[in-house]
């Protein structure tokens, strides 16, 4: 009996985990953006502008290039960076934890602050809109 | 179960699985010709290998790794912060496999930058300052520019090709 409960519990946990894994990173970002009553949807155009806006020393495009369908290069270490646009690199923007980790780091490095939910959604929307 | 809890659950499961999966596959040839397995860890490889290659733990003593892991929010001028659980996993791996030296103690050679250590400078003393700045290398952080197998943890002489 105990074993059945354990196996059942484990299966439920794995099922829940697989659902969480399939979550679109944009879902939580959209929910956060909607907390602002004036929110009326994400804008690819605003995302593109933000991507190319220079903060302290860098812009997103400093490392990811102005056309994120192309591979980039880390401006400090020189290491190659795979393209950011899903059209060139389908693994991009699929893992919510990764998306949050990198926005936190990179908005800090570029703009010296965290990006808002709307800004993150704008950039994701623009990156996803890029086609070949 | 809400999404964030499920996600945290998944992550602890995958961390546990990754622990179980730690099996070394590459090997290191040391200067004296001896071969021994290069310690590896998938969490370290993933997290430390994004902006630069995952620098081998043997490149710095444990004291250096502890200081680095304690200051990831300002990691040589960039934010490399990670969650506490991941950081603890990586720090354990780094310190367990860190450089051990009787002559280079904390007081004499525990730099935060690998390139500032005496060992590194001795090994690279034939490389001119201008060479480091050349377009093909760019930075001493870019090990793979010359050490063609660096991303696999190998720095042996036969794989070196200075561009």
């Amino acid at each position: 009996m105990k074993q059945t409960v354990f196996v059942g519990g484990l299966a439920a946990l794995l099922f829940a985990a697989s659902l969480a894994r399939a979550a679109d990173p944009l879902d939580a970002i959209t929910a956060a953006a909607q907390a602002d009553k004036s929110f009326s949807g994400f804008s690819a155009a605003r995302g593109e502008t933000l991507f190319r806006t220079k903060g302290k020393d860098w812009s997103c495009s400093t490392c990811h290039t102005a056309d994120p369908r192309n591979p980039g290069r880390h401006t400090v270490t020189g290491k190659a960076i795979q393209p950011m646009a899903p059209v060139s690199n389908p693994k991009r923007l699929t893992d919510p934890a990764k998306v949050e980790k990198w926005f936190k780091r990179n908005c800090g490095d570029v703009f010296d602050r965290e990006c808002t939910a709307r800004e993150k959604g704008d950039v994701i929307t623009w990156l996803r809109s890029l086609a070949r | 179960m809400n999404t964030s809890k499920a996600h945290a659950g998944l992550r602890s499961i995958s961390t546990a699985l990754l622990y179980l999966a730690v099996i070394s596959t590459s090997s290191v040839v040391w200067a004296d010709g001896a071969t021994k397995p290069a310690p590896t860890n998938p969490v370290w490889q993933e997290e430390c290998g994004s902006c630069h290659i995952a620098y081998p733990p043997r490149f710095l003593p444990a004291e250096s790794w502890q200081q680095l892991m304690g200051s990831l929010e300002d990691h040589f001028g960039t934010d490399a912060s990670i969650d506490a659980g991941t950081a603890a996993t990586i720090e354990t791996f780094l310190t367990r496999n860190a450089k051990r030296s009787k002559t280079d103690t904390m007081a004499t050679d525990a730099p935060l930058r690998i390139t500032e250590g005496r060992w590194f400078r001795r090994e690279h003393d034939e490389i001119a300052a201008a060479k480091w700045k050349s377009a093909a290398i760019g930075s001493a952080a870019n090990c793979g520019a010359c050490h063609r197998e660096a991303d696999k943890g190998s720095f042996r002489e036969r794989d070196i090709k200075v561009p």
Side-chain angles (χ1 to χ4, degrees):
Chain A
M1 178 62 191
K2 262 188 189 161
Q3 202 175 7
T4 315
V5 171
F6 175 73
V7 171
L10 191 64
L13 183 68
L14 288 174
F15 179 66
S18 70
L19 286 182
R21 189 137 185 101
D24 182 346
L26 198 55
D27 292 349
I29 291 170
T30 305
Q34 282 166 343
D36 180 352
K37 295 255 186 314
S38 67
F39 176 73
S40 61
F42 295 122
S43 153
R46 281 196 310 251
E48 179 174 8
T49 302
L50 184 71
F51 195 86
R52 299 196 176 133
T53 301
K54 196 177 163 194
K56 283 183 298 178
D57 304 306
W58 304 325
S59 62
C60 306
S61 51
T62 302
C63 297
H64 294 293
T65 80
D67 183 348
R69 288 172 293 193
N70 296 330
R73 193 176 188 205
H74 196 288
T75 189
V76 177
T77 67
K79 189 173 190 291
I81 301 174
Q82 296 304 305
M84 273 314 301
V87 68
S88 313
N89 184 0
K91 282 187 291 184
R92 289 294 193 201
L93 312 176
T94 57
D95 180 339
K98 253 189 190 174
V99 167
E100 286 303 328
K101 179 179 85 176
W102 285 106
F103 267 123
K104 179 180 180 293
R105 290 176 172 181
N106 294 354
C107 290
D109 284 342
V110 173
F111 301 117
D112 210 12
R113 63 174 174 83
E114 291 201 21
C115 285
T116 65
R118 200 198 73 179
E119 287 171 329
K120 293 181 212 173
D122 287 345
V123 169
I124 290 173
T125 302
W126 176 59
L127 290 172
R128 285 181 172 172
S129 75
L130 295 170
R132 284 255 170 247
Chain B
M1 183 178 281
N2 68 31
T3 305
S4 65
K5 271 189 185 161
H7 205 85
L10 171 73
R11 277 203 278 166
S12 37
I13 292 169
S14 30
T15 305
L17 289 175
L18 288 172
Y19 262 130
L20 293 171
V22 176
I23 296 164
S24 67
T25 48
S26 60
S27 61
V28 179
V29 178
W30 295 77
D32 61 2
T35 303
K36 68 181 212 170
T40 184
N41 174 296
V43 181
W44 159 77
Q45 186 72 52
E46 164 80 17
E47 296 295 340
C48 306
S50 300
C51 300
H52 48 66
I53 65 153
Y55 298 126
R58 69 180 191 278
F59 281 10
L60 288 174
E63 293 88 343
S64 299
W65 290 125
Q66 282 160 350
Q67 284 193 47
L68 283 168
M69 292 305 297
S71 59
L72 287 176
E73 293 75 18
D74 184 3
H75 186 65
F76 305 110
T78 66
D79 183 341
S81 53
I82 46 174
D83 67 86
T86 307
T89 301
I90 294 170
E91 184 170 334
T92 302
F93 168 74
L94 290 171
T95 53
R96 274 189 192 156
N97 298 290
K99 177 172 136 188
R100 287 180 191 86
S101 169
K102 286 180 183 137
T103 51
D104 295 339
T105 63
M106 174 67 180
T108 59
D109 200 28
L112 293 186
R113 281 185 198 275
I114 293 166
T115 52
E116 286 171 2
R118 283 200 305 227
W119 157 80
F120 183 95
R121 285 183 284 144
R122 193 168 59 232
E123 289 289 330
H124 297 87
D125 59 2
E126 75 277 25
I127 308 293
K131 192 72 185 172
W132 291 112
K133 300 274 177 214
S134 67
I137 300 176
S139 159
N142 190 13
C143 305
C146 306
H147 298 271
R148 300 305 168 99
E149 299 292 316
D151 57 342
K152 297 181 189 72
S154 172
F155 289 81
R156 59 190 176 181
E157 292 283 337
R158 81 162 84 141
D159 295 325
I160 299 173
K161 196 175 165 202
V162 180

